[in-house]
Amino acid sequence: MKNIGRNCFLLLLTITLIVTWGGDVKGQQVYAQYVGPALLNADGFGGEGGVKGALGSAGTKGTFSVTSPAFASDADLTNSAALAAASGTSGTGVGGGKGAASYAFINLFFTGANTPIAQTPIIIKLTGANLTKIKVQGYNSTGVAVGLASLFSTLPITSSGDYVFTPTLACSSIRITVDTDDTGLLGITSTNSANLYYAYMLNPTCSPANYTTVATPGVSLGGGILRPKEAIDGDLSTYSTFDFAVSLLTSFKQTAYFSSLSNPGDAATVTFSISPAALVNLDLLSDLRLTFYNGTTKIEPTVGLSSLLRLDLLSLIKAGKPYTVSVVPSAIFDRIEVSTSAVLSLLTAFNIHEIQRTPHKPEFPSPASQNVTICAGNKATLTATLPSTGNELRWYETVFGGTALTPATENTYVTPSLSQTTTYYVATAKSGCTAESERVPVIVTVLPKPHSVPISPQVPN
């Protein structure tokens, strides 16, 4: 008992552990806004009608319209602005001329503090009659076109069917234009139209994934990758699903794309879960792999998901609970791919809650910082090593979910008085962003207090 008392006294004198806290602000989708009046930012041009031929008449002027332009930037993502154009009609009679092309356009502005920098993907939901005649162009704050216009027929498409426009230069607005052809000499009027639902970028401060693509090469009898966009929506409660169903010789692949290269030391962080009914053997997870890219260049090595699992939390996976892993690739990267290398015949569903880029998971000044010992009834002050400037540490009582422990404005977190051994968890995050690394445990072992032993008075001889 004397040794326990001495150990507790020394521990109380020597344990000092420091952390940094920050706020909980989510990097949101930044939507481009329609700003009136209509003639300035929603307008067009009707092409001239063709000249009349002998014994004929002149063609009529073409038309254009932009209907409900505010629908392109309201809170309802299911309605849309409608753009339409029709060329001028051709002149009739011998030698009648063809009608000229028409166009309609709408301008959308990034009106907040964050505007697209060069190479920031802008995600656009649009449907069109003739995508080879519908284009998007970036403009700077003075209304001058910057970079090159892109036809929607040439743009990459996300797994949700949205188009990805990546301006080569910084811009503060985009213009979407619907063009027609001239009316041919056969007199058939050229028309074109589009419905524009929204355009947005993701706040570049928090380095979120901008869009995702999926692939399921091979033969599949049902199954597929369901709700792929939910793997990058910033919401850990939603997820995409690798639904293997009855698959034959089929692999699954989902890739998240980022608008910039990572900083040295940044981690690829993936949160996943598996239905308890679907999981027969954890060894099946060895067929799930993470691959990293710098553009189209593959970064070696590919990492097996099973190699990143902590043994102390395997029961969490078996129970179907979300699990987060963080790994630092061997080089900087801007794509993260989650894939199967073979058919998981006994694993029917795999859920990806989020694919993110975060600071690397916390490290500790010494082994004792991760395994703290105190006496019952006392408090512990916890610390981990902050990865770098601009990042912060967040402490939790749970390995997933829950609210970060307070206070969030001080440099230390002090536990309450503890009566039993308790595990806390710490994650890293970019300051002001919600994406967090894998949470790493810190165990506080609580020793019983020594019983006081009365000292008998000495009796003089």
Side-chain angles (χ1 to χ4, degrees):
M1 298 302 294
K2 290 181 180 178
N3 288 338
I4 293 176
R6 184 183 304 111
N7 289 342
C8 288
F9 175 73
L10 292 174
L11 284 167
L12 291 174
L13 288 178
T14 58
I15 298 175
T16 303
L17 308 169
I18 307 299
V19 302
T20 300
W21 284 86
D24 186 21
V25 180
K26 180 177 180 179
Q28 297 285 345
Q29 294 173 335
V30 180
Y31 283 88
Q33 300 295 311
Y34 168 73
V35 181
L39 293 181
L40 179 63
N41 293 313
D43 202 6
F45 173 79
E48 296 298 328
V51 298
K52 70 177 182 178
L55 304 176
S57 60
T60 59
K61 188 176 178 65
T63 62
F64 68 90
S65 64
V66 181
T67 306
S68 303
F71 283 1
S73 61
D74 63 2
D76 185 348
L77 303 183
T78 64
N79 60 23
S80 60
L83 291 79
S87 64
T89 63
S90 59
T92 61
V94 178
K98 60 183 180 180
S102 299
Y103 65 85
F105 73 84
I106 185 171
N107 294 332
L108 297 179
F109 294 81
F110 291 92
T111 58
N114 291 298
T115 58
I117 61 176
Q119 304 301 321
T120 297
I122 299 172
I123 313 302
I124 304 169
K125 181 176 181 180
L126 177 142
T127 58
N130 181 1
L131 296 177
T132 65
K133 302 293 290 185
I134 303 174
K135 63 188 176 186
V136 55
Q137 170 76 62
Y139 285 79
N140 64 20
S141 59
T142 63
V144 175
V146 292
L148 298 175
S150 296
L151 296 174
F152 274 83
S153 58
T154 66
L155 294 177
I157 302 175
T158 72
S159 56
S160 300
D162 295 344
Y163 295 93
V164 183
F165 169 58
T166 305
T168 56
L169 298 172
C171 63
S172 59
S173 67
I174 58 173
R175 171 176 292 186
I176 294 171
T177 304
V178 173
D179 288 309
T180 73
D181 289 312
D182 294 336
T183 296
L185 293 178
L186 295 178
I188 301 174
T189 301
S190 176
T191 63
N192 201 3
S193 61
N195 291 306
L196 174 62
Y197 294 82
Y198 54 74
Y200 71 85
M201 68 171 185
L202 293 180
N203 186 341
T205 303
C206 296
S207 301
N210 286 282
Y211 65 97
T212 181
T213 59
V214 297
T216 55
V219 180
S220 177
L221 305 179
I225 299 179
L226 311 178
R227 306 174 307 279
K229 192 175 181 180
E230 293 185 3
I232 61 165
D233 64 358
D235 185 349
L236 287 170
S237 67
T238 63
Y239 47 83
S240 69
T241 297
F242 286 20
D243 182 11
F244 296 99
V246 183
S247 299
L248 299 174
L249 305 177
T250 302
S251 59
F252 290 72
K253 181 187 300 182
Q254 181 163 5
T255 304
Y257 296 77
F258 298 83
S259 62
S260 61
L261 286 168
S262 61
N263 295 315
D266 279 353
T269 296
V270 177
T271 300
F272 69 93
S273 66
I274 300 168
S275 169
L279 184 61
V280 176
N281 190 327
L282 282 174
D283 290 340
L284 295 172
L285 294 181
S286 62
D287 283 329
L288 287 157
R289 307 189 68 79
L290 303 181
T291 306
F292 317 104
Y293 292 86
N294 180 338
T296 58
T297 302
K298 183 179 178 180
I299 297 170
E300 297 292 351
T302 296
V303 178
L305 193 61
S306 59
S307 67
L308 304 176
L309 306 183
R310 291 211 317 267
L311 295 178
D312 60 318
L313 293 180
L314 292 184
S315 60
L316 188 77
I317 301 174
K318 291 181 177 179
K321 302 296 183 182
Y323 186 103
T324 301
V325 294
S326 293
V327 58
V328 178
S330 60
I332 56 177
F333 62 98
D334 59 7
R335 299 183 191 180
I336 302 172
E337 176 188 284
V338 183
S339 64
T340 61
S341 58
V343 176
L344 305 190
S345 57
L346 299 179
L347 181 63
T348 60
F350 173 76
N351 305 318
I352 304 177
H353 292 253
E354 284 298 311
I355 304 174
Q356 298 172 309
R357 199 164 68 191
T358 69
H360 64 73
K361 63 185 179 182
E363 298 175 344
F364 298 90
S366 67
S369 301
Q370 197 174 359
N371 294 275
V372 180
T373 305
I374 62 171
C375 291
N378 292 321
K379 303 177 181 180
T381 309
L382 307 180
T383 190
T385 302
L386 193 63
S388 60
T389 302
N391 299 319
E392 63 190 22
L393 301 175
R394 298 175 186 168
W395 293 80
Y396 295 87
E397 293 179 315
T398 57
V399 70
F400 185 83
T403 303
L405 298 170
T406 55
T409 57
E410 298 182 5
N411 289 334
T412 61
Y413 173 70
V414 180
T415 72
S417 299
L418 300 176
S419 60
Q420 59 184 6
T421 296
T422 304
T423 300
Y424 292 90
Y425 297 89
V426 59
T428 56
K430 185 176 288 188
S431 298
C433 301
T434 53
E436 296 178 347
S437 73
E438 174 183 344
R439 296 182 188 179
V440 181
V442 178
I443 300 173
V444 181
T445 301
V446 178
L447 301 177
K449 280 186 175 180
H451 296 291
S452 57
V453 179
I455 300 175
S456 301
Q458 293 185 350
V459 178
N461 294 329

